[in-house]
Structures are given as C-alpha cells and as structure tokens.
Amino acid sequence: MKLLSRPEELVLLAVWRLKDNAYCVTIRRQISEVTGKDWSFGAVYVPLDRLEKKKYISSNLGEPTAERGGRSKRFYSLTPDGVDALLKVKEIENAMWEGIEGLSLDNIA
Amino acid sequence: MSIPKKSMQPPRIAERILSGIFPDRGWYTSLGDFREEFAYIAADRGLFRAQLWYWGQLLRSVGPFLCNLLYWSGIMVRYAIKYAVRILRRYKGYSCVNIAGLSIGIASCLLIGMYISFETSYDDFHTHADQIYRYDTIVQDGDESRVYDSTFLSIGPALAEQFPEINAAARFYFKGGAPVIQYGDKRFYEENFTFGDKSIFDVFSLRLIKGRPETVFQMPTSIVISEKTAEKYFGSDDPVGKTLGYFYELYDMTGRIEFTVTGVFRDIPSNSTLKADFIAFFDSVHDAGVFSKIMGEYIANFFTTYVLVDNTVSIPDLEEKLVQFNKTTLEKTYGPNKTGSVKLTPLISIHLSKPERVKALYTFGGIGLMILFIACINYVNLTTARSAHRAMEIGIKKVVGAKRIQLMVQFLGESVIIAFIALCAALLLTAVMLPLFRGFLGIDIYFVQFLTPGNILFALISVCCVGVLSGSYPALFLSAFRPLLLMKKITVSGRSAQYVLRKILVVLQFAISVILVTATLFISKQVKFMRDADLDFEKDNIIILEIKEQDMIPKIEVIKRELLDHPNILGVSATLGVPPDLLFIPEKARKSSEEPSKSRRFDLINVDDDFITAYGMSLQAGRDFSPEIATDKDNAIIINEKAASLLGLTDPVGQEILLSDRKHTIIGVVRDFHFRSLKNEMTPYVLALGAEVIHYISVKIHPENSAYTLEHIKKIWDTHAPDFPLSYSFLDDDIFMEYNTEENFGKAFQYSALLALFISCLGLFGLSAFLFEQRTKEVCIRKVLGESIHGIIILFSREFIKLILTAIVIAVPPGYLIVSRWLQNYPFRIEIDLITFVFSGAVTLVIAFSAISYQAVRAARSNPVDSLRYE
C-alpha cells in the first residue's frame, strides 16, 4: 500500500477533527491555522479529490445556502479505509521516530 | 445568518470565469466555497481585500488550467489522428481517390503559385529595389506624345550632380541586336551585352566575385562579365586580365574594341529586368567618339537611366522638379523647341507594367484555384457519400456522450490530416513536375528558393484552410445526425439535401472542366488559324540571312549575283527588315490635294527590286520596281490595297502622293499582305526602294535538296564575311514562332483542362463506386429477375449522364463569354462555332462515362449470390 503524502495526511486529519462540519472552507482554515501558512483552495481540492478517488473519504452534498450564492456544501467524512491509512502512517512515523533522542539544531554543528 | 448584501458578493466576471474553467462536475460546490471564504474575508478585512484575494485565486489557477487543457487536447488530437489513420486504412480506395485528387489540386496550385511569385518578385533582389526608378522621357511631337523608357546621354551624370535626393544615377546603353564577342577561336553572338556606368554598382546589387566595384571600371576598355559567361569563354582559367574582342556597328560605323576583363559578377537572377552577361564600361564607346558622332545627327535618347532615390523623398515632388531640369538640360544641348516631360517608373513595377502579363497572372491564378476547388468538391462528395458507412460509428459515439463539437473536430481533423498527406504528395509531385514546368515557361524557378519560412507557413495555413473548408460540410452534416436514426440504419433518402448538394457539386465540377476544355480547343484553333493563314506572300522556302556587319553592304550585289547562279536559288532580296518583326519608317501620307492635317500614318518598308518576286506577292495593278528605270530609286512607290482604300484612290497607279511632304509616284498596287503577325490589324504599307541600310538577305530556294542549297549559301557567305559566322533562319519558322505565346497559353489551358477533367472523373469514379455499393442488392435482385448486364449499366449510368449533360449545357454561356472575350484580342479570328462546344461536351461525356462504367460493369457482373446470401 502506498503511503499517504503529507498534504493528504493533513487533510485527512482535518476531516477527522472537523467531524460533521468538514467541507472545503473549514478544512482549509483548519490546516492554515495549524501550519501557519495560507493554503489555497487548490491545495486542498487536489488532495481531497485524490483521497476520494482512493476511497479514504466519502462526500455528500448538503443543503444549498444563501450565503454561498445558492450552492451546496460538500461534506466529507472518513471511511474505514481512510482511518486505516492514517493509523498506518502514524505507526510508521512512530517507528521512525523511536529511539531518536536529542534531535536539536545544536547537535548538527 | 443573514443574506449578504449585493456588494458583498465576489466580482461577477471572476465568478463566471471560475465557473467556466472549474465546472466541478456540475455541482459548483467549489464556487460556494469561494463565495463563503470571500464573505469571510470581506467581513474581516474589507471588501477590497476580499476582491483582491478572489482575483488572486483566479490568476493562480490560470496557468495550471492551460497546462491541463493542452495536455488533454493533445490526447484528443492523438486519438483523432489514430482514428483518422484507421479510417484511411480501412477505406483504402476512397482515401486514394481523395488524396490523389487533392494532391494534384494542391500541386497545380503550388506550381501556379510559384509562377506567380516568380513573376511578382521581379527585381526585388536588389537591396534598394524600392528606391530604384527608371528615368522615362515623354516626348511631345506635335499632338503625339511618345513615352521612351530611356533618356539622353547627358541626363544621367547631371542628375546625380544636381539633385541631393538622388543618391546615384546609372546609365545603360543597350545596342539592338547581338554583337559578336570573340576570344581566341571562340566566337559567339551575345544577346545580353550592355554598356554601363561606374555607378551601376551603387544603384543595383550586382555582386562581384572578382574585382572590386570601385576599381573595375578604371580603363575605358574595361568589361565585367557574368560567372556563366566567364565559364563559357575561359573555362576554369582566371578571366581577369583576358581580352575579349567586340565587333560593333552603329549606323555606318563599324569597328572592333578589345575589352579587358576586370571583374566577374554573380549571374543575375532570371527574375530581373536588367539582363546582362557583359557590362562594358560606358566610357569605352563614349571615348571612341561613337556616341558624340550620333549626337550630332540624331536626338539620341536611347540611354536607359536608373536612379537611386533617397527613401525620404516624395516621388511626385521630385518628378516635378525633374521636368524643369529636363527642359533646361535639353535646351542647352538641342535648342529650345524640344519639349517633353519626365516620369519616374519604379523598377519593381516595370515587369508587370505590361497588362498582358498581369492578365496571365490572374488567369492562371484563377485556374489554379478552380482546380483546387474541384479537388475539394471531391472530398466533400466522397465524405458525405461515405457517411452511411460511418452512421453506426457516429451513432454510438453520440450515445456514449460525444458532443457534437467533438464529432465536428474529429471530422475536421480527418480532413486536415488528409490535406496534409495530400500536401506531402503534392510536394513530391511538384518537385517531379518542376523541370517540365521550367522548360515550358522558360523561367528559372527552383524549389529551394521557395522554401522560405513565410512560404512554408503560408502553405501550412492554406492546407489547413483547404482541410477545414473541404471537411466543414461533412463535419456539420455528419455530426447533426440523430443517433436513433443512425442506429436504426435509416440511411439518408435520395431526396435529401445532401443528395441535392452532391449533384450540384458534380455539375459544378464538370461545368468547370467543360469550360476549360472548350477554351483549350478554341485557343488551339485560333493558333492554328493564325499559323496556317494565307498571308498573301509565300512564307515557305525562304531563308533569312542576317547581316551583322555593314562593311558587307557594298558586296551585296556580288553576293546576290553569286547566290542566284545556283539553280536551286530562285530569288534573292536584300532589305532592312523582314517579316515578322518588320523594321519600318512611319510616314505621314496624303494626296497632294489634301491639307497636311489630313495625312494618315503609313508604314514605309525599304525593299529592293527583287523583293516582290522573291516573296511571291501578287501585284493587283501597275508594275514592279525595275532596275532599268532610274526614277524608281527616287520616288516610285508600291502601296497595298489598304493604303489605296485609305487614300480613297480607285485607280492609284500613276497617281502622286506626298509622303512627309515629298512627292512620290505610285507605280503599283499589291494585294494586302500580313508582314506583321495576325495579332495586328492590317496596316497600310508603302514599299519603296532604299539600299543604304541592309540587315537581312532573303533567299528563296527550291524545296528540294535544301540542305545542299544551304551548304552553298554558307560557302558564299564565308568567302565574303569570314569574321561573322552565318546566322540564318527559315522564314516560316520565324512566323511560326510569333505565336509561341499563344501556343504556350493554349498549352497551359490544355494541362489545366486535363487536370480538371481528371480530378472530376476521379471524384465521379469514387462516388459511383460508393453508390453502386449501396445499391448492390438492388442490382442483384434485378439480375436475378432477368435484367441484362448492359441494361443495368444503362440504368445506373443514366443518373450520372444526366448530371454531366446538365454541366455541359450550363458551361456553354460562360464558355462562350470567356472565349469571345479572349478572341477580341485578335483582329483576325476564328468564328465561335457550336461544333466545338458539342465536341468538347462529347469528349467530357465519354471520359466521364468511362469513369462510371468501370464501376457499373463491376456491379453488374457481380454474382448475385455473393451479396444476397448475407441477408
């Protein structure tokens, strides 16, 4: 199985955190806040599409609202596969980090 | 949450663009996302920042969007090509017919295009081509004004000196006729011999391979020659420093100048008005006193003068100044009563200033386009006819979701691909045909010189256009089918629009072909008529000897006598001019009782007393010139009937008329004769004795053993003129050649008619193949029921024959108009008869029928079982 990319991982985590309110705007805001960088919509759409294609998330359309100019929101939610993939990444990361101590900038010099 | 105010909405245009490039599977949730974020930013940081953000988002997505688009359309093109190639392979016959027709059409267009670009590119190889003008003089002589493309000797240098706006002026002196040039034992008549100023190198872009422009013309007897001439005379030796002997004769002066070669220039391209293989330094003859001698006797305005004008100058203003200048200069030289005007003719316009050249360009351009049009018709017809085969394919594609535009792109793509394959084939064909074409037109055009980026781009674009044009009808037509009808295999019925269109196109094709065939027939008839016409003198068995050296003139009587001693020589006449390009002296003729203002122009031909017999002209009244009657030399004239009728004389013999105010007695009248080609009206001629200047000897020989007679003439010639090789021709050949232009024109028509007919038949061949294929079952059932083979052939050909007959009928009026317009150019012309139309129609019909009948026979002879058992 292919590993998740970092944006994909972030997006999946954001979807998980946002629970029932996970749609593009909120996901983007969440990630931007956490990383401290302004993520463009494109940067969120692409991993979302890719994840949906991989069946890690599923989406459904909400009711159209006036503030969105009569457009629906598309809500995303994690599938079991998605949860699985996240756990797998976490596991690998943990394994990679294990036993590494004293990793700091001082040690490099 | 309240509804946001209108002003809080994102910019409309940006939103539209976004929805266009990002349809998001039609849900547009992303648009909603953007709008929500926009509102958020607007509330947080103000409307302006929000709008900035929105546009920024949009701009950022443009690049990736374009990349994506290119990538996918690339894939689409790849599929279109793949598909087109598959279709081409699948229907080999159709593809061949299509490509063959189109490539022949394109090839003929290419050839004609080359010809046109050659003709229009005259003289543009000079660096300052658009600043070079020829100084033309208009001389006012009474009421008549004559335009000369040359001017007086002193004008050239004065121009460069007195006018700051003229950067340089160069004079040329082209002596008529071809002088003899000699090097060692090599001796040739050279046609492209000219004298030129030093400044020719400033005005024209002549590239010297040997020698430098500043130094080649230092001695008066310098000469520069072209590369190919150097090769001809000196082979691989270095020509510089070699001497060339030049024999000249100017009026009554003859002589020989030894020229020293000081330079070699690169051959002048054939699309040049200036044609020169030898350019001798102007001062050579000038110094020899030749020109100044002429100046004393004649107003010598035969110096072709080109000026290089500064590019900031307005030409009309300059011309105005030049008129004044011309007047004062001439008054100084020739006295006050010569008036005249000046015209500056742009060098690049000189070649196409002859209307017949422009007409020829338009004619051939039109023919080229017509042939291409016929080829395009083939494509349209075959593709629409084939549509039934592809109905299923289109139907399925539509059902699966192909949009109409995609299908159109596919068909257009196919036809563009076919056009490109045809272009490649056409290029090959052109390369093969070019040598023939070159010989035919007598012009030097090479493939390589047309391979400029501009031309290649033009060719590619026009091929795309041809592809799109010929594919657009099928594309529109095929993509409009309703899928259901297609799937149910309801093919288009016989009465549908496309069927009618196809018929019209076939009629159009054949009508054009018939017009071309008819025009060809009439042109060749007219040429034959002019060549075979009775000219009222005997043009056969006359040999024309050209006299190049006036030293021979005193010996002429001896030569004449010696020639006449031979039993096979029936007559000898020595004259200034011979047919068909006759040297004549224009004279103003009137009766002594008439006012000078009533005089009319007659052409006076100087002859000798043997002329009328040698040329077998028939005297209607009076007598021939006679050596015994002394007064004949002074004032006896013989006129032709036209002259007599213009004078209004019923019994002209013995009457006196005034020729330029000198009295002459008419001693005889000859039947009207056509000394000039039949392209000219009958001219009133006056024959008079005159033997001071003689250029030709006409020898009437017995038709038998002409080779021996010629041998004899040569022997006599060589004893009297050892320095000048005998140059002779047969009069009937010379007259025959007068109509070469017409013959070539006719040939060009002939080829285009053949091509048009061939392409049309090719189309018909393909079309009939398809239609018979569609009706195979019908044919088989008819056969089974007892129809005979030729019955079937007739049944199926009838429809096509009807079309072609219509085409023939339609072609008659425009054909008649075109032919009669063309014949207007000829005062002596053939009648436009119906027979020729019928004949060309019949030829077309037979050829077309043979194209159909192959398919018809094949269909009729097929075994019914083969096609019926699949049902």
Side-chain angles (χ1 to χ4, degrees), chain B residues 393-554:
Chain B
E393 172 203 332
I394 299 161
I396 287 175
K397 277 193 170 162
K398 280 199 149 187
V399 166
V400 168
K403 288 188 198 130
R404 185 160 176 212
I405 187 95
Q406 285 173 322
L407 286 174
M408 279 168 67
V409 166
Q410 186 200 326
F411 285 114
L412 285 181
E414 269 172 36
S415 80
V416 170
I417 286 166
I418 285 188
F420 269 100
I421 297 174
L423 175 69
C424 296
L427 284 176
L428 272 176
L429 207 61
T430 312
V432 174
M433 293 298 291
L434 203 57
L436 285 174
F437 193 64
R438 206 153 40 209
F440 170 59
L441 283 175
I443 54 178
D444 287 351
I445 43 179
Y446 294 95
F447 215 61
V448 196
Q449 74 197 81
F450 292 97
L451 289 180
T452 60
N455 280 353
I456 293 170
L457 195 69
F458 179 72
L460 289 181
I461 290 174
S462 6
V463 163
C464 276
C465 287
V466 165
V468 168
L469 270 180
S470 54
S472 61
Y473 180 74
L476 289 171
F477 167 76
L478 293 178
S479 60
F481 283 150
R482 303 250 309 276
L484 190 66
L485 292 179
L486 292 170
M487 306 292 278
K488 280 166 94 181
K489 263 208 157 176
I490 297 177
T491 45
V492 200
S493 75
R495 290 279 162 268
S496 76
Q498 71 134 332
Y499 190 73
V500 174
L501 181 92
R502 201 187 300 156
K503 271 179 160 178
I504 292 174
L505 290 178
V506 168
V507 168
L508 215 57
Q509 264 186 327
F510 276 90
I512 294 173
S513 308
V514 172
I515 291 173
L516 287 174
V517 171
T518 319
T520 308
L521 287 177
F522 276 113
I523 292 171
S524 68
K525 265 180 98 172
Q526 171 70 13
V527 172
K528 195 170 150 43
F529 165 77
M530 290 193 291
R531 280 183 173 164
D532 294 349
D534 183 9
L535 304 175
D536 285 300
F537 65 88
E538 285 167 26
K539 62 175 196 260
D540 298 325
N541 303 315
I542 290 183
I543 299 174
I544 306 288
L545 316 177
E546 201 181 330
I547 298 171
K548 302 271 181 180
E549 190 191 26
Q550 291 300 305
D551 284 351
M552 282 176 69
I553 291 176

Side-chain angles (χ1 to χ4, degrees), chain B residues 245-261:
Chain B
Y246 163 71
F247 296 85
Y248 72 88
E249 48 99 354
L250 265 163
Y251 297 86
D252 52 348
M253 290 174 299
T254 55
R256 184 188 153 105
I257 302 177
E258 296 292 335
F259 280 109
T260 311
V261 178

Side-chain angles (χ1 to χ4, degrees), chain B residues 617-660:
Chain B
M617 292 158 67
S618 64
L619 274 168
Q620 298 295 93
R623 61 174 178 86
D624 194 356
F625 296 113
S626 159
E628 273 91 57
I629 302 169
T631 51
D632 274 7
K633 270 216 165 54
D634 305 324
N635 61 5
I637 51 169
I638 294 176
I639 57 174
N640 67 349
E641 291 168 318
K642 171 95 178 181
S645 75
L646 277 180
L647 286 168
L649 298 173
T650 42
D651 182 24
V653 178
Q655 304 260 19
E656 284 193 339
I657 60 165
L658 294 172
L659 290 178
S660 303

